[in-house]
Amino acid sequence: MASLRISTINKKLLNQTLTLNGWVRTRRGSKGISFIQLYDGSNQDGIQAVADQELENYAEISKLTTGASVSIRGRLVESPAKGQAFEIQAEEVKIIGTSSGEQYPLQKKGHTLEFLREIAHLRPRTNTLGAVFRIRNTLSWAIHSFFQERNFLYVQTPIITANDAEGAGEMFHVTALELESLPRNAQGKVDYEKDFFGTDVSLTVSGQLGAEVFALAFTDVYTFGPTFRAENSNTSRHLAEFWMIEPEMAFTDLQQMLVLTEEFLKYVIGVCLERHEEELLFLQKMYEPDLLETLKHIHQTQFETLSYTEAIDILQKSGESFEYPVKWGVDLQSEHERFLTEKHLKKPINLIDYPTEIKAFYMKQNTDGKTVAAMDVLFPRLGEIVGGSQREDALEALSDRMKQHGLQQEKYDWYLDLRRFGSVPHSGFGLGFERLVQFVTGMKNIRDVIPFPRVPGNAKF
Ligand code: 4AD
Ligand code: MG
């Protein structure tokens, strides 16, 4: 019989003979019987297989250690043991790959998350990373499902780009030039005309500008791809390589986008609550005592919309002593964001209308002349999870802003064309995928929710 995945086992299969492939999580022996906890990555706990000394290779079976790979054929029976519905009465245990016992870095005892990061090639086999990556998989599916159900077009924008979409200058250069002998131009600067693309290019920080092009042709679109930032932020919520979901909607203003954003976040969290009770209970027990309560709260609560100016006022009157002082015009730090969402309003916040000075060039200027139609969604534990805005759709206003930001107009002429030919109000946002996974799993450090984290000083694996 073909092998089954452990997660598909159910009552209907009782008394049938099944074949299961996987890895030994633990094995303990008692009076001529071995209890093997078998894991194939499809569920949280795996399944127990019971092998007794009648099996012809029992001598090998009784030496199986954590990490070995096996194929087990046996009958599915109700388990007499507590906490598990079924177990397998093994009729055959084929040993596929042994795991050299003591040397295997993942032993039964718990390991710290820091240690696991050093063995990122083996940590996917742990129950913590197992839970995280099954949830990550579901979130990614749910994101596509949400947008596809609403007729959004999925567009793949380029990774190599000549544009700095956020205008923050935190980009990784991409070149095919010999770094040891760079060609120079008459001014002594690196001659990028001799480079592969004939110009200097980088890894993208955001797919937004490309998404705008497509929104002005397909109305509602989204990107979901990798983005890169060379910002030297050594924090628990920053990565140098992360995935971003960026919907972009034509004929949509900021207020309309707020409605969609809330619906979207509730939808993807709702799917995880429905499908991942086992994983969430495990993560709650291990890492975040309020995990389920917080997720359910967010799923049910109406988000509050607050302007930046109101937020500054609240922060100034709060009586809290913040590390970074607050006054109108400063960028909010995560301590401020967390105070607002965790302590003051105790719910998710759409923070809108930020000062023009601290936001990107493409945001729509408000009529007050001081603020732009920006939106950040703030969540407890994290602070900013989403950043977005209505876009400046007036040619002259956009062109002025680009000049103020020192952007070379020639480079962005194609972007200005969108305002020359059939311009419409349009809006979009970016959701950091790992921030979402971090929030839903309750993991404290963003490095534990991506397969191989890229952070300052580390790109191992
Ligand atoms: O606020 P950001 O910089 O916005 C943009 O890039 C816009 N172009 C998005 C848009 O309007 N289409 O980034 C968006 C989100 C943040 O809210 C945060 O969740 C995440 O991306 N993010 C990061 N996640 C992990 N590591 C980093 N270094 C991140 N920087 C931003
Ligand atoms: Mg932002």
Side-chain angles (χ1 to χ4, degrees):
M1 187 179 163
S3 67
L4 269 188
R5 298 301 299 277
I6 297 171
S7 62
T8 63
I9 290 176
N10 63 66
K11 239 179 21 209
K12 287 193 202 124
L13 297 172
L14 268 175
N15 293 316
Q16 293 194 25
T17 298
L18 316 176
T19 301
L20 303 174
N21 297 329
W23 292 267
V24 175
R25 259 245 165 97
T26 57
R27 188 205 61 85
R28 62 189 170 83
S30 145
K31 298 184 216 128
I33 300 182
S34 277
F35 298 94
I36 300 169
Q37 197 65 31
L38 183 73
Y39 176 72
D40 70 356
S42 65
N43 74 345
Q44 190 58 31
D45 289 331
I47 191 167
Q48 174 169 281
V50 184
D52 73 26
Q53 57 194 356
E54 303 297 307
L55 296 176
E56 58 161 8
N57 60 342
Y58 191 74
E60 279 94 27
I61 296 173
S62 65
K63 287 192 211 106
L64 276 175
T65 52
T66 301
S69 49
V70 290
S71 180
I72 299 181
R73 183 169 54 78
R75 207 160 59 90
L76 185 72
V77 296
E78 278 175 24
S79 176
K82 243 184 39 196
Q84 53 186 33
F86 312 112
E87 63 184 32
I88 296 283
Q89 216 119 56
E91 286 154 19
E92 183 186 39
V93 177
K94 267 195 223 154
I95 298 168
I96 299 174
T98 55
S99 165
S100 44
E102 303 278 280
Q103 287 162 10
Y104 186 55
L106 288 175
Q107 294 301 330
K108 216 193 295 185
K109 68 175 176 73
H111 295 290
T112 64
L113 293 168
E114 288 78 10
F115 172 73
L116 292 179
R117 271 174 231 148
E118 291 168 24
I119 50 164
H121 60 305
L122 295 171
R123 69 176 186 165
R125 303 178 189 187
T126 62
N127 40 23
T128 294
L129 278 282
V132 166
F133 281 95
R134 277 187 297 279
I135 290 175
R136 184 176 165 118
N137 174 63
T138 297
L139 281 170
S140 144
W141 175 87
I143 286 162
H144 283 294
S145 159
F146 177 87
F147 289 120
Q148 293 295 329
E149 279 171 15
R150 282 158 188 77
N151 230 343
F152 279 59
L153 183 100
Y154 173 35
V155 58
Q156 298 80 19
T157 48
I159 290 172
I160 298 178
T161 176
N163 317 305
D164 183 355
E166 290 304 299
E170 291 166 332
M171 302 184 82
F172 290 101
H173 292 282
V174 175
T175 181
L177 292 174
E178 264 315 322
L179 292 183
E180 305 301 328
S181 52
L182 290 172
R184 302 272 166 186
N185 59 21
Q187 291 82 45
K189 296 250 170 74
V190 174
D191 186 0
Y192 286 108
E193 281 180 21
K194 299 222 167 62
D195 201 352
F196 190 92
F197 297 105
T199 180
D200 55 328
V201 293
S202 303
L203 295 178
T204 189
V205 294
S206 156
Q208 179 191 323
L209 305 191
E212 283 187 57
V213 169
F214 273 71
L216 291 191
F218 295 90
T219 308
D220 291 332
V221 304
Y222 68 105
T223 69
F224 187 172
T227 48
F228 308 85
R229 298 202 182 173
E231 56 182 329
N232 202 354
S233 294
N234 242 315
T235 80
S236 59
R237 29 173 241 148
H238 285 90
L239 290 165
E241 175 180 295
F242 62 99
W243 287 64
M244 187 150 53
I245 295 97
E246 296 183 271
E248 192 70 37
M249 295 143 288
F251 309 100
T252 300
D253 65 15
L254 186 73
Q255 292 303 324
Q256 292 166 311
M257 178 168 71
L258 295 182
V259 176
L260 181 103
T261 315
E262 180 169 344
E263 208 180 310
F264 167 66
L265 290 167
K266 286 178 170 170
Y267 177 99
V268 297
I269 290 171
V271 172
C272 290
L273 282 168
E274 236 168 66
R275 296 193 182 184
H276 287 295
E277 200 185 5
E278 255 188 300
E279 280 81 4
L280 292 171
L281 284 171
F282 170 80
L283 294 165
Q284 169 163 281
K285 185 176 84 193
M286 298 291 292
Y287 303 106
E288 181 57 55
D290 300 328
L291 184 60
L292 277 150
E293 200 192 317
T294 314
L295 293 177
K296 286 180 186 157
H297 172 67
I298 301 244
H299 191 242
Q300 286 152 11
T301 312
Q302 188 164 5
F303 295 11
E304 183 93 16
T305 299
L306 204 65
S307 74
Y308 169 91
T309 304
E310 287 166 326
I312 292 294
D313 195 44
I314 292 166
L315 291 167
Q316 282 176 329
K317 291 184 179 147
S318 69
E320 295 275 315
S321 59
F322 294 113
E323 189 185 337
Y324 294 88
V326 182
K327 65 171 200 276
W328 202 96
V330 301
D331 211 354
L332 294 186
Q333 302 294 324
S334 105
E335 56 171 344
H336 308 132
E337 296 171 342
R338 292 186 58 174
F339 171 82
L340 292 168
T341 165
E342 286 170 17
K343 291 202 183 148
H344 186 74
L345 286 169
K346 297 194 171 65
K347 50 164 94 165
I349 299 175
N350 301 315
L351 202 56
I352 61 167
D353 297 339
Y354 282 73
T356 313
E357 300 301 318
I358 59 171
K359 286 292 185 186
F361 68 91
Y362 52 69
M363 296 191 180
K364 176 88 186 155
Q365 189 72 53
N366 286 328
T367 47
D368 63 9
K370 293 193 308 201
T371 62
V372 283
M375 158 200 79
D376 275 9
V377 179
L378 312 182
F379 265 18
R381 290 208 308 268
L382 272 185
E384 175 190 347
I385 187 163
V386 163
S389 74
Q390 186 168 336
R391 316 308 188 188
E392 184 54 79
D393 54 329
L395 178 62
E396 220 169 296
L398 181 61
S399 165
D400 285 349
R401 291 275 287 145
M402 289 169 86
K403 275 184 212 132
Q404 286 159 18
H405 278 255
L407 296 174
Q408 294 165 271
Q409 299 256 347
E410 325 77 82
K411 252 189 168 175
Y412 295 87
D413 208 41
W414 59 271
Y415 185 65
L416 289 167
D417 265 357
L418 301 177
R419 280 72 182 169
R420 290 188 184 105
F421 310 117
S423 187
V424 292
H426 61 287
S427 303
F429 66 79
L431 165 69
F433 186 48
E434 285 73 20
R435 295 236 178 129
L436 175 67
V437 182
Q438 210 186 338
F439 183 75
V440 173
T441 58
M443 297 307 282
K444 303 269 180 307
N445 196 312
I446 198 163
R447 298 170 197 207
D448 299 325
V449 305
I450 187 162
F452 304 109
R454 269 71 179 107
V455 293
N458 193 355
K460 197 175 164 189
F461 304 104

